[in-house]
Amino acid sequence: MVEAMNWISEVVRPKIKTLFKRETPENLWVKCPETGQMVFHKEVEANGWVIPGSEHHLRITAQQRLKLMFDQGTWLDVPLPEVAADPLKFRDEKRYVDRLKDARAKTGMTDAFKVGFGRVSGLPMTLAVQDFGFMGGSLGMAAGEAFVRGAETALEKRTPYVLFAASGGARMQEGILSLMQMPRTTVAVRRLNSARLPYIVVLTNPTTGGVTASYAMLGDVHLAEPGALIGFAGPRVIEQTIREKLPDGFQRAEYLKEHGMVDQVVHRRDLKGTIARLCGLLMQVPAESAAAQAEARAEAKPDAKPDTKADAKPVPA
């Protein structure tokens, strides 16, 4: 009898639940960094990657940014120059070449910059976007070359040049070579000014370090997304240096607007229209003409699907 009881107690029950277990995607919900609110992923995407309710602007990739900005999500990728991968043979906890390899595998990008040419609300425009997901959007030789190539594209096609900045500063693994990109990008901005082409900067979260000390603060107009951290040194470093408590909201977009360093804080859903109006004004393009062109294209291709491939047809300037 005892043996029978042992046999019964030792029987492994079949795990029937595992046969009917439903697998749910890991990215089905998005958590708001400010309030902790859980929001359906599709709802956040439809809202331009802004959390409904709290209006917190999530960081987005360069690809997502270009898709939001260009008409019908279509643009021409501007080929970017290749640079030496590891000129200083730098190594800290990992080799620099290994860090680059990991960042490229994670983001699908060659470096922190992506440049596109297309139409924004009917106006031909050149857009450059820094992707914070690639080593913190840090400024190195590749990023500097990409910025300059974007400026050259705007000069060649006679379009406004719009930069979406997001960076932690210069890339330490490239030393002085990364710092030399600051004057190089400044020269590119001066060429745009000489050609009387608009250069508009959109400061996103975060924009700090050598990027703020160079091309990110040289725009004809400076826009910023709500809540973006903007500055040279971070607030914690400043507090430790001056040994004083900083004001609430210090170095945030709204604070900088109040103190004259940012022209306007613009919600992400309004950025496209705002930039188009500014560029139309600075390029002396009548608003009615641009709107009519955009409406005509929409009617001609009502069912057009977004195409973000590099071989998309270029838009004539």
Side-chain angles (χ1 to χ4, degrees):
M1 184 66 180
V2 175
E3 292 181 0
M5 290 296 294
N6 288 340
W7 178 82
I8 293 173
S9 61
E10 291 176 4
V11 170
V12 178
R13 297 180 179 179
K15 298 182 179 179
I16 300 177
K17 291 182 179 180
T18 59
L19 300 176
F20 303 98
K21 184 177 180 180
R22 297 179 61 184
E23 295 184 1
T24 56
E26 294 181 359
N27 62 346
L28 190 61
W29 298 90
V30 178
K31 184 177 181 179
C32 177
E34 288 185 3
T35 64
Q37 174 191 5
M38 299 298 292
V39 186
F40 191 44
H41 182 274
K42 291 293 184 182
E43 187 178 351
V44 178
E45 182 179 2
N47 200 38
W49 304 102
V50 177
I51 302 291
S54 68
E55 298 297 323
H56 178 84
H57 285 53
L58 297 173
R59 290 174 186 160
I60 58 177
T61 66
Q63 188 85 0
Q64 290 169 334
R65 178 73 69 178
L66 293 175
K67 187 175 181 180
L68 287 174
M69 287 297 301
F70 282 115
D71 294 346
Q72 300 177 351
T74 304
W75 69 90
L76 174 67
D77 278 331
V78 176
L80 303 179
E82 294 185 5
V83 299
D86 186 9
L88 303 181
K89 308 299 179 186
F90 193 93
R91 182 187 182 100
D92 44 45
E93 295 178 355
K94 293 174 63 176
R95 294 190 306 164
Y96 179 39
V97 288
D98 293 335
R99 292 188 182 277
L100 285 173
K101 184 178 179 181
D102 293 344
R104 286 168 180 167
K106 177 183 175 183
T107 62
M109 298 176 60
T110 305
D111 209 88
F113 253 89
K114 194 171 183 64
V115 181
F117 169 72
R119 290 187 182 273
V120 178
S121 296
L123 296 174
M125 213 170 291
T126 305
L127 269 58
V129 184
Q130 282 181 278
D131 195 323
F132 192 81
F134 193 104
M135 297 185 69
S138 50
L139 173 63
M141 291 191 300
E145 288 287 353
F147 180 89
V148 173
R149 178 58 59 88
E152 290 173 347
T153 302
L155 286 165
E156 176 188 346
K157 299 183 180 297
R158 300 294 300 174
T159 70
Y161 190 31
V162 181
L163 167 74
F164 290 85
S167 177
R171 189 170 297 174
M172 56 175 264
Q173 290 89 349
E174 295 184 16
I176 188 63
L177 298 175
S178 67
L179 295 179
M180 285 304 298
Q181 306 311 310
M182 296 170 64
R184 290 189 71 243
T185 54
T186 301
V187 171
V189 173
R190 292 193 59 137
R191 291 184 62 196
L192 290 169
N193 293 339
S194 298
R196 302 184 69 82
L197 292 173
Y199 172 51
I200 295 177
V201 179
V202 182
L203 304 162
T204 70
N205 184 48
T207 303
T208 59
V211 170
T212 308
S214 55
Y215 57 85
M217 282 297 177
L218 295 176
D220 299 312
V221 179
H222 291 101
L223 308 177
E225 289 191 331
L229 176 67
I230 305 163
F232 181 67
R236 182 178 59 184
V237 174
I238 297 175
E239 285 186 340
Q240 291 174 349
T241 302
I242 66 176
R243 298 185 180 182
E244 291 184 12
K245 183 67 177 176
L246 296 173
D248 292 338
F250 183 75
Q251 288 189 322
R252 294 292 173 176
E254 294 77 7
Y255 184 92
L256 294 182
K257 180 181 180 297
E258 292 177 3
H259 291 78
M261 291 190 67
V262 170
D263 295 303
Q264 191 174 358
V265 178
V266 185
H267 194 285
R268 187 173 291 165
R269 66 170 171 263
D270 301 323
L271 268 176
K272 181 176 179 178
T274 301
I275 290 173
R277 286 193 298 272
L278 284 171
C279 290
L281 178 64
L282 295 173
M283 295 289 289
Q284 298 182 353
V285 176
E288 296 80 3
S289 175
Q293 292 176 14
E295 185 177 350
R297 275 188 298 275
E299 291 178 354
K301 298 181 179 180
D303 300 324
K305 295 182 179 180
D307 183 4
T308 59
K309 295 182 180 179
D311 59 354
K313 292 183 179 180
V315 182

